[in-house]
């Protein structure tokens, strides 16, 4: 056991699952109330971390201190934490969790020297993210005695984007929804998610492909009013553009609609819309659109507000 772990990355679900496994491994059952302290980086003081870490374990060989939002620690609290790590308690494991720490941050450097830094992030490239999401969905379903068909996996990605938290919620609901059936197919995904949401996403893509600005903004606003998150919508839109690229390749190979439906994971009622959109969209324009959405993704993640405006401007740009 290292005296300190730093869990870095914006994939909250992966971090939380690792923390859960670490706690169950290091703490005997029933010892959580006696030997686990949970602190928040926005509230912790200079004395909090060292004093909690130097507390003697009660009826157990070790105790744990979980520091959430470590990236919100004030400078003087980091100073005290780094000083503690010069002589950490041999019976305490300090677990720091943060979305991001700048390269060269003194806390990051010190933890790298005396403990372990673990990073939780999906691959940067879109195909890599989608592959990892599909692998993760299969594993999640398998843990509950179910299996996802490849078409169901692709449809879920189309509807939710490469967002592990949202995908986990949908896979869990689908496992309950299918009851005693072992296999989860696209029909189950459509039935659970709802035809309205499925149609709304494909209508948005179709309007963007036709450069129908009014129609695209109307679809976008309708989806946002129904509670869709701007960042999630951006991921869905980017995936739809990648589907159009793949559809153009399949059209060039003279693949029949049924085969295209299977390979893309698109419900058959919407295949004609995808093929029509692919036919009227040039490959350079699709690639430019994906580059534009990547830029908007960076802006959305770094901005404190105005996410809806950024997304609407991106749709206007795609339709121009």
């Amino acid at each position: 056991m290292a005296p300190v772990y730093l869990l870095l990355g914006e994939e909250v679900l992966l971090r939380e699952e690792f923390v859960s496994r670490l706690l169950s491994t290091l703490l005997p059952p029933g010892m959580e109330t006696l030997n686990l302290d949970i602190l928040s980086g926005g509230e912790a003081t200079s004395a909090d971390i060292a004093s909690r870490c130097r507390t003697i374990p009660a009826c157990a060989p070790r105790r744990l201190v979980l520091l959430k939002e470590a990236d919100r620690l004030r400078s003087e609290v980091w100073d005290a934490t780094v000083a503690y790590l010069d002589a950490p308690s041999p019976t305490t494991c300090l677990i720091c969790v943060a979305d991001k720490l700048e390269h060269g941050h003194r806390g990051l450097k010190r933890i790298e020297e005396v403990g372990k830094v673990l990073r939780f992030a999906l691959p940067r490239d879109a195909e890599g993210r989608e592959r990892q999401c599909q692998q993760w969905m299969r594993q999640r379903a398998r843990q509950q005695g179910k299996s996802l068909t490849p078409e169901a996996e692709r449809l879920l990605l189309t509807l939710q984007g490469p967002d592990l938290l949202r995908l986990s919620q949908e896979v869990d609901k689908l496992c309950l929804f299918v009851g005693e059936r072992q296999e989860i197919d696209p029909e189950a995904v459509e039935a659970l998610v709802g035809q309205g949401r499925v149609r709304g996403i494909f209508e948005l893509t179709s309007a963007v492909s036709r450069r129908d600005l009014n129609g695209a903004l109307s679809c976008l606003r309708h989806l946002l009013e129904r509670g869709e998150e701007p960042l999630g919508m951006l991921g869905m839109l980017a995936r739809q553009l990648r589907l159009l690229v793949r559809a153009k390749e399949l059209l060039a190979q003279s693949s029949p609609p049924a085969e295209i439906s299977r390979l893309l994971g698109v419900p058959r009622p919407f295949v004609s819309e995808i093929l029509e959109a692919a036919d009227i969209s040039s490959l350079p324009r699709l690639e430019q659109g994906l580059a534009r959405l990547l830029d908007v993704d960076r802006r959305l993640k770094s901005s404190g507000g105005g996410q809806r405006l950024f997304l609407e401007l991106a749709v206007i740009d795609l339709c121009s």
Side-chain angles (χ1 to χ4, degrees):
M1 179 188 74
V4 58
Y5 291 84
L6 174 59
L7 314 184
L8 275 179
E10 295 182 350
E11 283 302 328
V12 176
L13 185 66
L14 295 179
R15 285 189 339 218
E16 289 182 349
E17 288 185 340
F18 181 83
V19 168
S20 179
R21 290 197 301 271
L22 196 60
L23 295 183
S24 62
T25 300
L26 297 180
L27 284 180
M31 290 290 104
E32 294 86 352
T33 55
L34 295 175
N35 294 298
L36 173 62
D37 283 327
I38 300 177
L39 302 173
S40 171
E43 300 172 359
T45 67
S46 298
D48 278 338
I49 297 173
S51 63
R52 303 290 181 97
C53 287
R54 296 201 185 282
T55 300
I56 303 298
C59 306
R62 63 176 63 87
R63 70 190 321 273
L64 273 67
V65 176
L66 176 60
L67 175 62
K68 297 183 176 182
E69 299 180 318
D71 39 0
R72 295 184 59 201
L73 280 178
R74 296 187 301 277
S75 178
E76 65 271 18
V77 183
W78 267 119
D79 290 340
T81 303
V82 169
Y84 161 76
L85 292 175
D86 288 338
S89 168
T91 58
T92 296
C93 177
L94 172 61
I95 305 169
C96 303
V97 181
D99 286 346
K100 182 180 180 181
L101 288 179
E102 295 298 328
H103 181 71
H105 187 284
R106 62 187 181 283
L108 173 59
K109 291 174 64 176
R110 188 61 180 139
I111 293 173
E112 286 176 333
E113 293 168 354
V114 303
K116 293 184 178 179
V117 177
L118 304 175
R119 301 180 188 276
F120 297 84
L122 292 175
R124 289 183 177 273
D125 64 291
E127 290 185 1
R129 285 199 303 272
E130 291 186 4
R131 279 196 303 271
Q132 188 163 330
C133 283
Q134 286 179 299
Q135 292 171 1
W136 186 89
M137 284 191 290
R138 288 185 211 118
Q139 180 182 357
R140 185 91 174 186
R142 196 179 304 120
Q143 290 170 348
Q144 301 175 65
K146 308 294 182 184
S147 63
L148 284 156
T149 67
E151 294 82 4
E153 289 175 5
R154 288 191 286 268
L155 180 56
L156 268 177
L157 271 174
T158 297
L159 297 174
Q160 303 296 344
D163 183 325
L164 287 184
L165 185 58
R166 296 181 67 166
L167 289 171
S168 72
Q169 294 168 346
E170 295 304 319
V171 170
D172 290 347
K173 287 189 288 186
L174 281 164
C175 288
L176 293 173
F177 179 76
V178 298
E180 296 183 358
R181 286 167 46 200
Q182 184 178 6
E183 187 176 80
I184 299 170
D185 55 23
E187 287 72 23
V189 176
E190 289 181 57
L192 184 65
V193 174
Q195 281 279 353
R197 183 165 186 261
V198 176
R199 176 161 291 282
I201 292 166
F202 284 105
E203 285 180 349
L204 172 60
T205 308
S206 178
V208 168
S209 301
R210 298 192 309 272
R211 302 191 185 187
D212 176 6
L213 178 57
N214 289 334
L217 288 176
S218 176
C219 289
L220 176 64
R221 288 165 183 164
H222 178 67
L223 287 165
L224 291 172
E225 286 167 3
R226 291 181 55 183
E228 300 292 345
E229 293 294 329
L231 199 55
M233 284 299 307
L234 185 70
M236 293 176 202
L237 191 53
R239 176 166 170 77
Q240 289 297 97
L241 293 189
R242 289 193 293 273
L243 280 180
L244 294 185
V245 172
R246 179 64 175 139
K248 288 186 75 68
E249 295 172 351
L250 294 172
L251 282 172
Q253 298 167 13
S254 302
S255 300
E259 180 69 2
I260 293 176
S261 172
R262 185 184 69 81
L263 292 173
L264 297 185
V266 174
R268 291 196 181 187
F270 301 105
V271 170
S272 60
E273 295 179 25
I274 284 286
L275 295 182
E276 178 186 351
D279 188 53
I280 62 177
S281 301
S282 69
L283 191 57
R285 183 165 173 265
L286 291 173
E287 291 173 344
Q288 289 172 3
L290 285 169
R292 170 63 174 146
L293 292 179
L294 180 61
D295 178 63
V296 174
D297 179 70
R298 286 193 291 263
R299 291 171 180 265
L300 284 178
K301 289 177 178 176
S302 61
S303 68
Q307 293 190 344
R308 177 167 177 160
L309 176 60
F310 277 128
L311 188 55
E312 289 181 344
L313 290 174
V315 169
I316 292 171
D317 190 38
L318 291 173
C319 291
S320 63

